[in-house]
Amino acid sequence: MILILLGPPGSGKGTQAQRLVERYGIVQLSTGEMLRAAAAAKTDFGLQAKEVMDRGSLVSDDIVIGIIAERIGEPDCANGFILDGFPRNVAQAEVLDLMMAEKGLTLDQVICINVDEDILFTRIETRAAETGGERADDNATTLRHRLDVYHSLTAPIIPYYTDSGKFFAVDGMRNIDDVSEEIYAILD
Ligand code: AMP
């Protein structure tokens, strides 16, 4: 099973991805997590990426595409994977199609978690408090910018997927269990 989880920052993609990992025995590929790990390890591209991430802008396509291209070829992805945070613009979506075709892989579903934006500010503040402010981009000012980036660059990939019949939107305003159930009903 190969899935894409879409949705604005704080919509619950990471939480739902973890549940899907357990339920379907597939792996979660979060480009944000991989970039944060590279930044923590102080690799060259990790340090470059950190500055961009802290501002809430998008890291260059070359970097994230390189990461994903390498990662989806690893043995633990053979059972399937969830792309959490990738693709984030139309160029990445197009390259993903090519990469998958080259590897003989087929995308099964794209799940988009819709939420009212007001709640995202509360959720991000809660996450910042719970993690002790671990993520420099978890604050209201950067969130405003991340939402602008989501609308201008990421949301335009939705029409790219709607025509394929693989696109499903779920209501992310309900509690975590209900959102999971709605996703399971689509996937099962
Ligand atoms: P996330 O953990 O998904 O919220 O991502 C955190 C940050 O990592 C984003 O605000 C971007 O700066 C960067 N990032 C994650 N995935 C991508 C991507 N596919 N393309 C560009 N930048 C990304």
Side-chain angles (χ1 to χ4, degrees):
M1 182 186 281
I2 299 178
L3 308 175
I4 292 175
L5 273 187
L6 272 179
S11 58
K13 297 189 297 293
T15 304
Q16 295 299 334
Q18 282 163 17
R19 292 177 165 215
L20 298 174
V21 164
E22 280 183 26
R23 186 176 173 97
Y24 298 105
I26 53 182
V27 289
Q28 174 189 7
L29 306 183
S30 157
T31 38
E33 285 297 327
M34 293 182 225
L35 290 167
R36 281 187 288 278
K42 298 198 175 5
T43 65
D44 282 350
F45 81 79
L47 291 174
Q48 269 177 43
K50 183 172 182 346
E51 191 256 325
V52 180
M53 291 164 77
D54 287 355
R55 277 191 276 126
S57 296
L58 291 190
V59 172
S60 83
D61 289 346
D62 287 353
I63 289 182
V64 288
I65 288 166
I67 294 178
I68 287 293
E70 201 173 300
R71 189 66 187 84
I72 64 177
E74 288 179 16
D76 63 340
C77 289
N79 231 359
F81 49 87
I82 307 159
L83 293 167
D84 162 12
F86 182 93
R88 247 179 163 103
N89 60 29
V90 172
Q92 292 178 16
E94 288 171 352
V95 173
L96 177 65
D97 269 356
L98 294 175
M99 278 191 304
M100 302 252 296
E102 262 173 28
K103 293 179 194 295
L105 301 172
T106 311
L107 178 67
D108 291 298
Q109 272 103 3
V110 179
I111 310 275
C112 183
I113 306 178
N114 287 328
V115 283
D116 295 345
E117 290 196 358
D118 291 348
I119 201 152
L120 297 178
F121 286 85
T122 317
R123 284 192 188 174
I124 287 281
E125 276 166 24
T126 307
R127 184 163 78 185
E130 280 171 3
T131 59
E134 187 180 81
R135 284 182 58 165
D137 57 352
D138 274 351
N139 62 73
T141 313
T142 312
L143 175 61
R144 184 66 263 158
H145 180 57
R146 289 161 72 197
L147 286 171
D148 291 343
V149 168
Y150 179 76
H151 291 300
S152 58
L153 298 175
T154 308
I157 69 180
I158 293 174
Y160 186 83
Y161 291 117
T162 41
D163 290 346
S164 63
K166 296 177 177 177
F167 182 87
F168 297 87
V170 298
D171 175 7
M173 293 301 288
R174 290 170 317 141
N175 69 50
I176 295 175
D177 288 342
D178 289 347
V179 177
S180 302
E181 289 301 331
E182 194 178 345
I183 297 176
Y184 302 156
I186 295 165
L187 303 180
D188 282 347

